[in-house]
Amino acid sequence: MNFIVLTIFPEMFKPFWEHGIVSRAINQDKISVSAIDIRDFAQGKHRTTDDRPYGGGCGMIMKPEPLAGAIRAAEKKAPLSKRILLTPQGRPFDQRVAEELASSDGLILVCGRYEGVDERICHDFIDDEISIGDYILTGGELAAMVIVDAVTRLIPGVLGGKDSAEKDSFSDSVLEHAHYTRPRVFEDDEVPGVLLSGNHKEIERWRLETSLIRTFLKRRDLLENRPLSSQEIEILKKWCLDIEKIIHDQSLYGPDPLSGGQQEG
Ligand code: 4GT
């Protein structure tokens, strides 16, 4: 996988290429990365990359010629790459989009600054527009890093068996179960006993149960429109029965007289 980032701040990417899994993936030749300085394709003594908007208004717009020059240079280096503009108007980035991008030959990631890029660039030089979320940044660079990071870890061989992407939260739209490491007791807080039991079947069941329940509590939207396995249905039904039993047993005593008379009865 080949990533080429187009930016007026190529220096921003240096520390990013040099750390963690991204750095390891470069050293293992799983990915290649480069940043092209859009200013190298700008004209004149000042190599200006922005100009005032037609029709007036505040802020500056990225001029089309330097962007077009930079995109053409990137295409020459990597002709099969998909040209992506990072913009708050793009389609929302999520794990599915990351998987889709991971199966492409390469990505040319175009980072805007100021108020955005001249519309004619979007029309003629861009294949896809992506947003990393509903908020405004001062430039597309951080969005490009998010995409490189999320896509890189999906490339086969980048994550070893030890930190594989298969068991990821979101890859099957539930959150991950809780994780614990040593010490067994940390500031009076103990690791759940089942994890020390050595009973792998029970541990798997506990993990599935906590991951389902925390998804229900924290991100109910992820569970909607998702088919449940028979084991998942069984786990959720057991929770329902447990809660119903508490309600049933408590209602035998009648409403709590100290609860302020809010209940019927
Ligand atoms: C947000 C996002 C993005 C920006 C996002 C043009 C000038 C866009 C600044 C740039 N803000 N880019 N990609 N949510 N700002 O993805």
Side-chain angles (χ1 to χ4, degrees):
M1 166 74 66
N2 186 274
F3 297 101
I4 305 179
V5 183
L6 275 46
T7 170
I8 60 168
F9 295 127
E11 303 288 310
M12 279 180 75
F13 289 84
K14 282 191 179 157
F16 177 57
W17 307 142
E18 285 169 12
H19 290 88
I21 307 273
V22 169
S23 156
R24 195 175 72 191
I26 296 168
N27 292 328
Q28 294 176 339
D29 285 330
K30 304 282 184 202
I31 64 169
S32 54
V33 300
S34 54
I36 289 181
D37 190 345
I38 296 166
R39 204 174 291 283
D40 289 347
F41 299 85
Q43 302 292 309
K45 197 180 102 188
H46 299 287
R47 302 203 299 157
T48 318
T49 56
D50 62 329
D51 204 345
R52 300 195 322 273
Y54 273 117
C58 53
M60 298 295 268
I61 306 300
M62 287 189 89
K63 291 165 67 60
E65 307 94 318
L67 276 168
I71 294 171
R72 287 203 173 105
E75 283 179 294
K76 210 164 181 177
K77 285 213 282 181
L80 298 177
S81 290
K82 193 169 172 183
R83 303 164 300 177
I84 296 174
L85 178 69
L86 291 317
T87 161
Q89 301 182 17
R91 61 184 176 122
F93 187 66
D94 62 13
Q95 195 64 23
R96 265 215 213 123
V97 176
E99 279 160 16
E100 177 196 318
L101 298 182
S103 67
S104 60
D105 259 278
L107 303 178
I108 295 170
L109 299 162
V110 182
C111 307
R113 281 270 153 180
Y114 320 115
E115 299 304 306
V117 310
D118 186 288
E119 188 67 19
R120 290 161 295 184
I121 289 297
C122 317
H123 291 166
D124 303 328
F125 293 86
I126 292 296
D127 302 310
D128 198 2
E129 298 184 358
I130 291 181
S131 163
I132 60 159
D134 289 339
Y135 40 81
I136 307 298
L137 304 167
T138 58
E141 285 79 6
L142 287 171
M145 288 183 208
V146 166
I147 287 173
V148 171
D149 192 280
V151 170
T152 294
R153 62 187 293 292
L154 292 176
I155 292 165
V158 166
L159 297 186
K162 216 178 64 152
D163 38 15
S164 127
E166 270 155 46
K167 282 206 171 172
D168 279 348
S169 161
F170 287 112
S171 64
D172 66 350
S173 54
V174 286
L175 303 181
E176 284 213 0
H177 58 77
H179 301 281
Y180 295 88
T181 187
R182 289 185 291 182
R184 193 179 65 77
V185 184
F186 170 69
E187 301 194 353
D188 294 332
D189 201 353
E190 286 189 32
V191 172
V194 59
L195 298 179
L196 312 172
S197 70
N199 185 333
H200 295 289
K201 242 188 121 184
E202 264 194 51
I203 291 170
E204 266 324 293
R205 152 120 197 165
W206 179 88
R207 287 184 169 161
L208 179 61
E209 184 166 347
T210 56
S211 107
L212 268 178
I213 294 306
R214 63 167 59 192
T215 308
F216 177 74
L217 292 175
K218 295 182 182 183
R219 290 292 307 277
R220 210 171 292 186
D221 59 299
L222 294 177
L223 280 184
E224 280 152 22
N225 304 316
R226 176 187 175 282
L228 295 169
S229 73
S230 52
Q231 193 185 14
E232 289 169 345
I233 290 170
E234 183 246 309
I235 287 169
L236 289 173
K237 275 188 177 161
K238 187 179 169 299
W239 273 77
C240 287
L241 289 173
D242 288 352
I243 292 166
E244 272 175 14
K245 183 173 175 347
I246 292 171
I247 295 169
H248 174 82
D249 292 353
Q250 291 303 315
S251 67
L252 293 179
Y253 303 107
D256 179 0
L258 301 177
S259 74
Q262 294 292 10
Q263 288 155 298
E264 46 151 333

